[in-house]
Amino acid sequence: MIEEIKDSAAFLSQRGVKNPKIGVVLGTGLGNFTTKVNIDVELSYDQIPGFPEATVEFHKGRLLFGTIRGVSVMVMQGRYHFYEGYTQEQIAFPVRVMKMLGVETLLISNAAGCMNLNWNKGDLMLISDHINILPGNPLIGPNHVELGIRFPDMSDAYSRDLRDKVKRIAANKNIRLQEGVYAVAQGPMLETPAEYRYLKRIGGDAVGMSTVPEVIAAKHAGMKVVAISVLTDECDPDDLKAINIDEIIEIAGKSEKVLTELFEELIKDIGNE
Ligand code: HPA
């Protein structure tokens, strides 16, 4: 795997992906952020050696390199999910390629179900922490010191510094922002009422099917991480409505504008540090 990561990074570097400072992974229904990028390099995932092959439903995998407000960014539009059959190593692969190319900070977005009933569908949630209940994680197996240390610390997985910055930006722009714990489930089915009740009881505020493998790989790689969920459906175990994926995508699309604003300002702030 390490050789494939290096080959992939070398390929991208040769294609002009030079010194990206910030990596961005965009979630379901949240791809329009790419309109903010002054694009220098654009590749579909199937053109990049080592990137896992796309599944049928996953046709929009695009990697962009360019600048946002003068800051160099490497953006993944479309990600690999566990429920598609990828291993956690495969899901983490692009993040490790980012690390090899020099990315220091990773921004992630996703769509998630809202289990905290004080909040509303359409709200944004800054992830403060996560609970991994996927079977395994991307660090299982031999450790490669070029990627990171054997026992990475997870006490500040979602950088407190960067969270403070996001909260300041949200306050200045009058953007409603919740903060809480993201639990990751395997999917692709949504949760039963009993499962939502369980996930809430163990400390989850939101639940989704992504993000955690990438965050673990990013922390292992020494990156700072910020992740924001768009809360697309209300998961009240005592009054659970049937959820439809088109509605989830629609709600994500509606909140995308503010999420994009937050990410853009944050990128500008990080670039000016
Ligand atoms: N559960 C899991 N993943 C999700 C949900 C949910 O309710 N909503 C959006 N992604």
Side-chain angles (χ1 to χ4, degrees):
M1 190 58 91
I2 185 75
E3 290 311 318
E4 287 167 33
I5 294 166
K6 285 182 184 166
D7 288 350
S8 195
F11 168 88
L12 289 172
S13 167
Q14 200 197 357
R15 285 301 191 94
V17 179
K18 295 273 194 264
N19 305 317
K21 189 174 170 72
I22 298 176
V24 183
V25 181
L26 300 173
T28 306
L30 301 167
N32 277 338
F33 177 80
T34 53
T35 57
K36 299 286 177 188
V37 186
N38 297 306
I39 302 172
D40 294 322
V41 181
E42 176 174 351
L43 294 161
S44 76
Y45 293 169
D46 58 13
Q47 293 174 284
I48 309 171
F51 269 49
E53 237 170 76
T55 60
V56 180
E57 67 208 275
F58 173 20
H59 29 77
K60 233 201 167 170
R62 246 187 357 142
L63 188 141
L64 306 176
F65 171 72
T67 54
I68 292 178
R69 306 269 201 114
V71 185
S72 64
V73 293
M74 181 168 164
V75 181
M76 284 181 67
Q77 184 181 21
R79 57 146 63 89
Y80 300 99
H81 296 93
F82 189 73
Y83 64 75
E84 293 173 279
Y86 297 109
T87 65
Q88 302 229 14
E89 258 196 328
Q90 288 177 309
I91 298 168
F93 188 90
V95 174
R96 290 171 162 164
V97 173
M98 285 180 180
K99 149 89 176 176
M100 289 291 166
L101 289 166
V103 167
E104 295 161 3
T105 306
L106 185 64
L107 314 190
I108 299 183
S109 67
N110 62 46
C114 181
M115 300 185 294
N116 186 322
L117 302 178
N118 298 316
W119 305 339
N120 297 310
K121 181 150 89 163
D123 283 358
L124 300 182
M125 185 189 89
L126 181 61
I127 301 181
S128 58
D129 205 342
H130 74 219
I131 299 175
N132 183 21
I133 54 165
L134 293 180
N137 67 68
L139 310 189
I140 301 284
N143 187 59
H144 297 284
V145 285
E146 292 140 289
L147 296 178
I149 58 173
R150 176 75 286 191
F151 299 106
D153 175 64
M154 291 296 276
S155 62
D156 191 35
Y158 299 83
S159 159
R160 186 172 293 279
D161 258 16
L162 294 180
R163 274 191 281 141
D164 286 345
K165 272 197 176 42
V166 173
K167 285 186 263 188
R168 270 200 300 276
I169 295 167
N172 284 339
K173 289 184 167 287
N174 259 322
I175 294 173
R176 196 152 67 153
L177 182 69
Q178 315 294 0
E179 186 173 19
V181 174
Y182 177 90
V184 62
Q186 294 186 40
M189 65 288 169
L190 292 136
E191 287 68 32
T192 64
E195 286 167 340
Y196 283 126
R197 193 173 289 116
Y198 162 72
L199 291 169
K200 191 173 168 188
R201 218 171 264 175
I202 63 171
D205 292 295
V207 54
M209 305 173 194
S210 68
T211 300
V212 168
E214 290 107 314
V215 171
I216 292 171
K219 279 309 288 179
H220 180 231
M223 293 181 196
K224 282 184 151 188
V225 175
V226 170
I228 298 179
S229 295
V230 177
L231 303 176
T232 51
D233 48 292
E234 286 166 11
C235 310
D236 179 353
D238 298 315
D239 182 24
L240 190 62
K241 316 265 187 315
I243 297 165
N244 133 354
I245 190 71
D246 293 331
E247 194 190 337
I248 286 180
I249 292 171
E250 187 192 324
I251 304 275
K254 281 190 186 150
S255 299
E256 185 173 30
K257 196 167 156 276
V258 270
L259 178 64
T260 298
E261 244 182 284
L262 274 181
F263 270 6
E264 195 180 358
E265 281 300 309
L266 179 64
I267 288 169
K268 189 192 80 180
D269 276 14
I270 295 171
N272 287 334
E273 265 172 3

